[in-house]
């Protein structure tokens, strides 16, 4: 898969078929359980538990996937016999669960964001590096859109050099999240549960892609606020940013959950000899007038049309790295980099006691 930057791990004893557990049995867990199911059919992983403090969700997942249910990560780890945890919990629960698992020598694949505060992200980055060095224990972050076929094509084209250097970029995320979306899961609208709103939960994927494709960025300026749902959520539903990437290029970014529909994410990158334009599919405009299109594999419907196609690809690649004892390429530092940008926007928009 894409540009694995991989070093080999210290020796660690692993059973031949890794034993996985899914922590948090809400909306996104279905993607992880489906991917684990596909890999299990190939004998590449075995589901040994599901974890959720909510007995209804826990029991439903346990029954559907024929795996024992646990009320907490602590209970799962105390029972033993697990090699990998998939963290699909509210944001505030990522770091505590990940730290507990790494401490026990259990690999972690966490949903984005890495953590809900910068302090937790830094603790986790240190713990992940230490766990890798000590025992080859891994932490991966679920930025699955890096595996979407048009995005991989963008990265390959930019690295191939035929389009010349990047000169600038622009991105938009124009989505629709009604009050009911927050009412269904109140943590999503709070600083304590989510650590932020639209940027932490939705637009983070596009910010990650911008940095992966154009280079690490610093915030030139940006603001976030609740412009439509201020009576429903504490956190922002809209944000704008100007970024400067490591090569000196500028990008502009606008995102909102206050749009009337879930419009396709747009990501346009201008280069010395052409332009890359992502709207689900990728359109490549070459300087000589040629136009090429790279489609996503399959038609995405429902939630997948905005989550992206590629949970399955990322999860399979994570397990490939575990087997090969190679460090997974989207780790804690990658997660922390995007979190720093987001928190920098909050620092310019809210009092410190709210967003920290
Ligand atoms: N990668 C993507 O495209 C994508 C898409 C949607 C959601 N997500 C991420 O997935 C995560 C979960 O989001 P969701 O929408 O599925 O949330 P959700 O509220 O639907 O599910 C979260 C589940 O975690 C459980 N839970 C709470 N505290 C827990 C704990 N300490 N231990 C174990 N379980 C706990 C809850 O009871 C709930 O069942 C978030 O990090 C979110 O940002 C990622």
């Amino acid at each position: 898969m894409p540009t694995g930057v991989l070093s080999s791990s210290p020796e660690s004893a692993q059973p031949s078929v890794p034993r996985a557990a899914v922590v948090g049995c809400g909306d996104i867990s279905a993607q992880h359980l489906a991917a684990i199911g596909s890999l299990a059919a190939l004998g590449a992983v075995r589901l040994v538990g599901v974890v959720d403090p909510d007995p209804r969700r826990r029991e439903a997942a346990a029954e559907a996937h024929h795996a024992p249910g646990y009320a907490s990560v602590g209970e799962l780890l105390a029972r033993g016999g697990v090699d990998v945890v998939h963290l699909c919990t509210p944001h505030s629960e990522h770091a505590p669960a990940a730290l507990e698992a790494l401490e026990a020598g259990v690999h972690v694949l966490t949903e984005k964001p890495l953590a809900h505060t910068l302090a937790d992200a830094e603790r986790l980055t240190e713990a992940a590096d230490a766990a890798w060095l000590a025992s080859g224990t891994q932490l991966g972050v679920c930025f699955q859109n890096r595996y979407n076929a048009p995005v991989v094509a963008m990265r390959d084209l930019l690295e191939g050099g035929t389009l010349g250097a990047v000169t600038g970029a622009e991105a938009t995320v124009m989505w629709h999240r009604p009050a009911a979306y927050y009412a269904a899961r109140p943590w999503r609208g709070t600083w304590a549960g989510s650590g932020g709103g639209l940027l932490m939960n939705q637009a983070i994927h596009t910010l990650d892609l911008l940095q992966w494709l154009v280079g690490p960025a610093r915030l030139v300026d940006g603001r976030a606020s609740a412009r439509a749902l201020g009576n429903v959520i504490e956190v922002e539903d809209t944000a704008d940013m100007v970024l400067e990437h490591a090569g000196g290029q500028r990008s502009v970014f606008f995102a909102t959950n206050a749009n009337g529909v879930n419009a396709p994410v747009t990501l346009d990158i201008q280069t010395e000899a052409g332009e890359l334009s992502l709207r689900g599919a990728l359109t490549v405009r070459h300087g000589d007038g040629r136009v090429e299109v790279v489609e996503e594999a399959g038609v995405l419907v429902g939630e997948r049309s905005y989550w992206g196609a590629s949970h399955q690809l990322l999860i399979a690649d994570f397990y490939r790295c575990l087997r090969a004892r190679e460090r997974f390429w989207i780790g804690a530092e990658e997660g922390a980099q995007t979190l720093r940008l987001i928190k920098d926007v909050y620092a310019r928009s809210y009092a410190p006691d709210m967003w920290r």
Side-chain angles (χ1 to χ4, degrees), residues 105-106 156 214 257 326-327:
V106 170
D156 288 348
V214 182
N257 273 343
E326 291 171 356
R327 196 164 189 186

Side-chain angles (χ1 to χ4, degrees), residues 107-284:
H107 304 293
V108 174
L109 180 59
T110 181
E111 268 299 346
K112 39 52 63 172
L114 176 64
H116 80 311
T117 65
L118 275 181
D120 271 2
E122 271 149 30
R123 256 193 297 281
L124 208 40
T125 305
E126 273 176 33
D129 284 344
W132 168 255
L133 288 174
S135 59
T137 307
Q138 303 239 26
L139 181 143
V141 185
C142 208
F143 281 127
Q144 77 278 358
N145 288 316
R146 291 195 191 190
Y147 287 76
N148 293 352
V151 172
V152 174
M154 283 174 104
R155 172 86 181 195
D156 288 348
L157 279 159
L158 291 171
E159 284 200 329
T162 51
L163 291 171
V166 172
T167 54
E170 64 207 57
T172 64
V173 180
M174 305 274 288
W175 282 356
H176 175 71
R177 291 293 180 279
Y181 166 83
Y182 296 99
R185 304 282 195 271
W187 66 266
R188 291 173 177 155
T190 66
W191 291 105
S194 181
L198 148 102
L199 289 174
M200 291 290 269
N201 217 334
Q202 283 84 29
I204 191 168
H205 284 295
T206 309
L207 281 175
D208 174 66
L209 291 186
L210 251 184
Q211 294 195 93
W212 184 49
L213 294 167
V214 182
R218 73 172 185 91
L219 184 69
V220 176
D221 204 358
R223 292 291 181 277
S225 59
R227 294 178 207 176
L229 291 174
N231 57 344
V232 176
I233 56 176
E234 297 171 2
V235 294
E236 85 285 3
D237 60 27
T238 301
D240 51 74
M241 300 164 83
V242 175
L243 303 175
E244 186 181 279
H245 296 265
Q249 311 91 336
R250 183 167 289 177
S251 63
V252 292
F253 181 79
F254 178 76
T256 186
N257 273 343
N259 200 30
V261 295
N262 287 311
V265 167
T266 73
L267 175 49
D268 293 339
I269 299 179
Q270 297 84 35
T271 72
E272 290 168 330
E275 184 179 38
L276 300 169
S277 186
L278 185 72
R279 308 272 185 284
L282 170 66
T283 303
V284 187

Side-chain angles (χ1 to χ4, degrees), residues 22-32 51-54 57-58 70-73 87-94 97 110-113 142-145 181 184-188 194 200-202 204-205 306-308 311:
V22 170
V23 179
C25 303
D27 287 348
I28 203 64
S29 68
Q31 300 294 325
H32 289 256
V51 180
D52 203 302
D54 178 329
R57 295 219 186 113
R58 178 173 72 241
Y70 299 92
S72 69
V73 173
L87 302 184
C88 302
T89 64
H91 301 168
S92 58
E93 308 304 305
H94 291 183
T110 181
E111 268 299 346
K112 39 52 63 172
C142 208
F143 281 127
Q144 77 278 358
N145 288 316
Y181 166 83
R185 304 282 195 271
W187 66 266
R188 291 173 177 155
S194 181
M200 291 290 269
N201 217 334
Q202 283 84 29
I204 191 168
H205 284 295
Y306 49 84
W307 286 347
H311 267 97

